[in-house]
Amino acid sequence: MRLPTRSILLSALVGVVFTSPSSSFGLNLTLSQVTDISGLGFQAVGGMAFDDSTGRVWVSDATETNNNIVELDASVVPALDLGPDALAIHPTSTNLFLFSTFGTFPGSADAAGEVTQAGTLVTAFGSQDAINAGGAAFRNATELWVIGHDDQMLKLIDQMTGNVSSTVPIVGFVNRVGAIDFDPITGNLFAYSHNTTELLEIDIQTGQILGTTDLSPFVSDTRFPAGIAFDADGDRLLVSAGLDSGADELIVLVRTVPEPVDYTIALVGVGAVLFLLRRL
């Protein structure tokens, strides 16, 4: 009797659940606090980086008239007499890597270099016209990545020379990107769109956009430039955007990471099920 047999089999398999892990991208963010940094006197935030070793946040002023990185004078890098708008911290040495793109303006030259947190020059990279970095971040101790200010191109930088080792274009994206950072949890790259409130999650190998997060509930001024930084654990995302009064705030967002679901396959009466399957 096939019908009764099938009914018994269905009953025996009720506890069996097959599923796959979540593949969603983007961030689930809530506002934690807005920190007043107006005392720094920044006209526009250009770069931001979180120092995992100390828990300190470094912020640079990217305007033509200032060259401050918190209290560090960025002019210690030759030709970096204008504000750096890309800033990254080496995860091992904790040295700062600075990039200025003001060479796009007449009478000045792009510049970049490595300095200690005390302001001592380590390496000057010289002209950065070919890089034109709008944002910078370390993926690990050996990989320093920047985003081209105008070309939507991710560039792997040789830390000794400042030269471009390889490039990865962001696929299907035409807006400028003002800041980048790597997610400590997923390892993916996040990029803050230049004139929108989009936060892009990008596969660094392919340049494909995996997902987007809208920051408009938290950021009101999206004018150039911008800075983003994850904390050491990826639990918080720090965001700054805008000119003038928009540069007076550091927005701290708390990230909620969905707990991984433990899917258990309940094998009910395995012996009986296998026996019934052989009889079908």
Side-chain angles (χ1 to χ4, degrees):
M1 297 287 294
R2 294 296 179 91
L3 184 57
T5 301
R6 291 177 185 277
S7 299
I8 294 171
L9 178 60
L10 179 60
S11 299
L13 290 174
V14 166
V16 181
V17 179
F18 296 95
T19 128
S20 59
S22 172
S23 60
S24 60
F25 295 97
L27 300 178
N28 184 12
L29 301 170
T30 55
L31 180 64
S32 172
Q33 66 185 69
V34 178
T35 302
D36 183 359
I37 59 172
S38 59
L40 297 176
F42 283 8
Q43 296 184 29
V45 172
M48 187 158 55
F50 190 90
D51 185 347
D52 296 349
S53 65
T54 63
R56 297 170 64 191
V57 180
W58 290 80
V59 185
S60 67
D61 189 340
T63 54
E64 294 181 73
T65 55
N66 291 334
N67 54 24
N68 296 319
I69 305 175
V70 187
E71 296 180 356
L72 176 66
D73 185 349
S75 63
V76 295
V77 179
L80 196 61
D81 55 346
L82 300 173
D85 51 2
L87 164 67
I89 296 179
H90 193 282
T92 303
S93 70
T94 71
N95 286 346
L96 305 176
F97 284 73
L98 318 173
F99 298 84
S100 173
T101 61
F102 281 108
T104 56
F105 293 90
S108 59
D110 285 1
E114 176 186 0
V115 299
T116 68
Q117 293 195 11
T120 302
L121 176 65
V122 177
T123 305
F125 295 154
S127 175
Q128 294 293 292
D129 292 342
I131 295 178
N132 197 22
F138 277 94
R139 185 184 186 192
N140 50 49
T142 61
E143 292 188 23
L144 170 61
W145 289 85
V146 303
I147 180 69
H149 207 291
D150 299 312
D151 58 12
Q152 298 81 42
M153 187 77 70
L154 294 165
K155 304 169 185 180
L156 180 62
I157 303 300
D158 185 316
Q159 297 176 42
M160 299 301 295
T161 65
N163 296 330
V164 177
S165 299
S166 61
T167 61
V168 178
I170 300 178
V171 179
F173 191 72
V174 297
N175 290 323
R176 287 182 174 182
V177 173
I180 60 173
D181 200 12
F182 284 93
D183 180 3
I185 295 178
T186 66
N188 289 332
L189 179 78
F190 278 81
Y192 189 17
S193 179
H194 184 90
N195 286 334
T196 74
T197 55
E198 282 187 303
L199 190 65
L200 312 175
E201 185 171 2
I202 299 170
D203 185 326
I204 194 65
Q205 302 297 329
T206 65
Q208 294 285 342
I209 298 176
L210 303 174
T212 61
T213 302
D214 182 15
L215 296 183
S216 62
F218 316 111
V219 180
S220 58
D221 192 336
T222 60
R223 294 174 296 162
F224 168 82
I228 61 171
F230 285 99
D231 69 4
D233 299 321
D235 296 330
R236 293 178 298 166
L237 177 68
L238 289 73
V239 180
S240 181
L243 297 164
D244 302 324
S245 61
D248 291 341
E249 297 179 342
L250 185 62
I251 301 165
V252 182
L253 304 175
V254 174
R255 174 187 191 178
T256 302
V257 180
E259 293 293 331
V261 180
D262 184 13
Y263 295 108
T264 303
I265 300 178
L267 299 177
V268 181
V270 174
V273 171
L274 294 175
F275 173 77
L276 291 172
L277 286 173
R278 286 197 295 269
R279 294 175 61 88
L280 290 178

